[in-house]
Amino acid sequence: MSSTPATHPRVVVIGAGIVGCSLADELTARGWTDVTVLEQGPLPAPGGSTSHAPGLVFQTSPSKTLTAFARYTVEKFNSLEVDGVSCFNPVGGLELATTPQRLADLHRKAGYAASWGIRGEIVSAARCKELWPLIDETSVLGGFHTPDDGLARALLASRAQMARAIGRGARFLDRHTVTGIEQEDGRVTAVVTDRGSFPADHVVSAAGFWGPVIGRMAGVDVPLQPLAHQYAKTEQLPELAGSQTEASKPILRFQDRDLYFREHHDRIGIGSYAHKPLPVDPFGILPYDEARANDMEMPSSYPFTEEDWAPSWDDCRWLMPALRETEIEEGFNGVFSFTPDGMPVLGESRKLRGFWLAEAVWVTHSAGVAKAVAEWMVDGRASIDLHECDLTRFEEAQRSPSYIRERGSQQFVEVYDVLHPLQPMERPRPLRVSPFYVRQQELGAVFLEGGGWERPHWYEANAPLVDGLQVPERDAWSARYWSPIAAAEAKATREKVALYDMTPLRRLEVTGPGALGFLQRMTSNNLRKKPGAVTYTLLLDETGGVRSDLTVARLAPDRFQVGANSPTDLDWLSRHAPDDVQIRDITSGTCCIGVWGPLARDLVQPLTRDDFSHEGFGYFRAKETCLGHVPVTAMRLSYVGELGWELYTTADLGLRLWDTLWEAGRRHGVIAAGRSAFNSLRLEKGYRAWGTDMTDEHNPFEAGVGFAVRMDKDGFVGQEALQRTLDGLAGAEPARRLTPLLLDDPAAVVLGKEPVYVDGAPAGYVTSASYGYTLGRCVAYAWLPALATGTGVHIEYFGEKVPATVADEPLFDPKMTRIRR
């Protein structure tokens, strides 16, 4: 959130591509009319990615946020025109499957479309032929047709929005090259160009692949990697002769060969991701005039590389026999941006207040991004969840130039790949490891990756424990990155005791005379408790949306340890911290082991002189003690629904702590257990995962975490909005709820993001899902209208409607007897 320094803030937007023009339109529409857009190239086609973009808009994405961006872009561009020409051509979209794996992926994509409210259907090969007569349907197994997708006329949309913004008072200045960003006392004050300076209260970098260049001027790193991408046009095709329209057939994806197609009147344009990554140094990209002087059409257009194109041309001719009698007339390698995770980079920098990023944005999402950023700037928050795009989301270990280049290049490779939701990146690994890594390797840990951390999902050493267990067989997709060993680890946790590596979970230390008052103001629960208390609480925004959930341990009157979710939590708290409060991220210097199970006390008690009985060490309490030779901070918490503790120590003592617990646990049958079992156990208890089950789009009452809100507490962020919500409910249930479902078939599983049907119509979507090994059913949480317990619903999985039933929560141990003993 940024404070507005003036009644009519002065905004300078750097870049007049589709994002800059869209943002100027959205800002001026909200009353911020003192907007200057600076562009180094000529208008209306300044030579960035917008100038060469083929304009394909496929709305459906595994990301709900990206889909929302694209949907708004379609709606807005459909409403704009220039000289009687619409800025959007709704020809629809068609994605082809030529392999069973791709057809299955299209069924999943159809599920995403239903979840996010996009029209689409799986169609036969014959229907694909009707939609695109040039294809050889004998090679096609089916397709995914989305009638509302189409072609964005990016330059026309830029002109239309530019004109509207100018009409409200904005100005657009081309041929102004930014040379510096001025600042004072940590706040931006002006943008310097080769033609003068422009005072500013807010500066937005919408410079596309020049983003890192602008960021360096501001002292802000911009984690994006420009890459070149091949695009070619055929000669005139007899089959398209006499075409009176730019395009009439759906935009086409042939993802099995990393290709896409669109019409250009009587020619076909073809884009290819099949070639090797071609990274481009953003600091070496030529300005517009220098590019023209070097025989380049524009800075973003590099020479076509025939050797990279040849395999793709063979694939094109295989799919479309008509292309066998023609050749490529022209082609180029167009530059555009990729981030390490493929998502845009949005938001205000804490390093330089008033300096905003709207980077790594494709035409597909441009208007939606602009709307969200404008809302963020003017209102303090966007109307949709942006945590996947927040510029603070990356860990420090993910911000090195080498990491950004390698991961950005891999994102290019994976654009059209069939990706599993658990699929980890392959390089660079290992990057971050806990102190227990060597022991985990000895136990045959199977690691996935998150935030750069190596995270054990199960241990092959536990394979013998599977003998005798009744674990349903899985389909090939849900069996990827899964093992029945997870069931054995879950069972051992319920019956004996297990060690869980919780090191990757973020830990913050908050200290200072004002620490208690600050945390009381920033969070929803009451933290005014004696040292030794641990509290589950929420970070809310001003609208009452759940920004994050935290566990806060008061270790001393002025010292708190906060268990958080992401770097964004640190950024949010740091933005609001007064001078008498210090916040430090202690994650990398510490580690954590979860010791959970009915025998957890039997394992831990002999290692310490302190009383770990239920009476001496109650639930949601903390103690600083020693286990053997290791000083630890012990917190009696459990996110698996069993007796136990989270044990924290410094990283240098981590291995000794693991070995101490392992040796003491041998007599109790201790095992190491992974994230797969953990996720199953936490869903059986109904414990939410922020960012998956709930975001700032949801309030605590509908998310089922209203117990973490103390409305009688004085003055916390979001309190007034929550009171209005409660007044509006007047004692009734929220209209929508995060709802627990149990699949009816004991062998059925779903993975998340699937649509949920009520009375035959899409009514919501699954957030988290995992097989509940204790319950003998798959557990799925879903956002749905308020439904009575026992209501039957259906979850669509690979096109099949899987029956499920609304359940009461918690599903396991509702009286909490296993934890509180």
Side-chain angles (χ1 to χ4, degrees), residues 355-435:
F355 184 80
W356 295 76
L357 297 181
E359 296 289 7
V361 181
W362 294 7
V363 171
T364 301
H365 310 113
S366 55
V369 163
K371 179 188 179 204
V373 173
E375 290 173 336
W376 203 346
M377 296 175 71
V378 175
D379 304 327
R381 76 182 297 274
S383 57
I384 65 171
D385 168 47
L386 297 181
H387 83 274
E388 293 178 308
C389 309
D390 196 301
L391 63 88
T392 64
R393 69 187 183 272
F394 294 111
E395 306 279 351
E396 284 301 313
Q398 297 172 309
R399 289 182 171 272
S400 70
S402 296
Y403 185 95
I404 293 166
R405 179 185 175 96
E406 187 166 1
R407 290 303 306 151
S409 297
Q410 187 61 26
Q411 287 294 328
F412 178 92
V413 171
E414 294 176 353
V415 163
Y416 283 169
D417 284 1
V418 176
L419 298 176
H420 193 278
L422 293 177
Q423 187 166 328
M425 67 180 190
E426 296 179 359
R427 299 183 308 275
R429 291 181 64 190
L431 183 63
R432 308 175 76 187
V433 298
S434 79

Side-chain angles (χ1 to χ4, degrees), residues 153-192:
R153 298 184 173 106
L155 287 178
L156 281 187
S158 296
R159 287 175 57 192
Q161 294 177 101
M162 187 187 311
R164 297 205 311 187
I166 291 172
R168 301 185 191 110
R171 58 177 174 167
F172 285 72
L173 303 175
D174 63 359
R175 301 293 187 174
H176 280 65
T177 300
V178 174
T179 58
I181 307 292
E182 293 186 346
Q183 52 186 285
E184 184 177 340
D185 296 328
R187 180 164 197 98
V188 70
T189 58
V191 177
V192 182

Side-chain angles (χ1 to χ4, degrees), residues 555-572:
L555 301 180
D558 295 340
R559 180 166 65 92
F560 297 80
Q561 182 171 309
V562 177
N565 283 297
S566 76
T568 305
D569 295 342
L570 172 62
D571 180 79
W572 176 255

Side-chain angles (χ1 to χ4, degrees), residues 44 63 132 171 223 239 251 287 361 436 473 482 572 584 618 713:
S63 165
W132 252 90
R171 58 177 174 167
E239 291 82 358
I251 49 177
V361 181
F436 327 126
E473 291 188 10
W482 172 84
W572 176 255
R584 188 166 64 98
K713 189 177 77 166

Side-chain angles (χ1 to χ4, degrees), residues 4 6 51 70 72 150 179 186 227 348 354 364 376 381 388 400 418 475 551 566 604 628 663 691-692 770 778 801:
T4 303
S51 301
Y72 182 76
T179 58
L227 288 112
E348 183 190 27
T364 301
W376 203 346
R381 76 182 297 274
E388 293 178 308
S400 70
V418 176
D475 63 276
T551 52
S566 76
V604 175
E663 187 59 34
T692 302
S770 179
C778 182
K801 300 296 195 299

Side-chain angles (χ1 to χ4, degrees), residues 60 100-115 122 144 418-421 475 477 480 751 753-755 796-799:
T60 305
Q101 294 79 11
R102 181 66 61 182
L103 186 59
D105 190 57
L106 294 186
H107 276 286
R108 281 190 298 276
K109 185 163 288 186
Y112 297 144
S115 290
I122 299 296
F144 177 48
V418 176
L419 298 176
H420 193 278
D475 63 276
W477 184 250
R480 291 184 66 184
L751 299 181
K753 299 188 178 180
E754 297 91 354
E796 184 176 304
Y797 184 69
F798 286 95

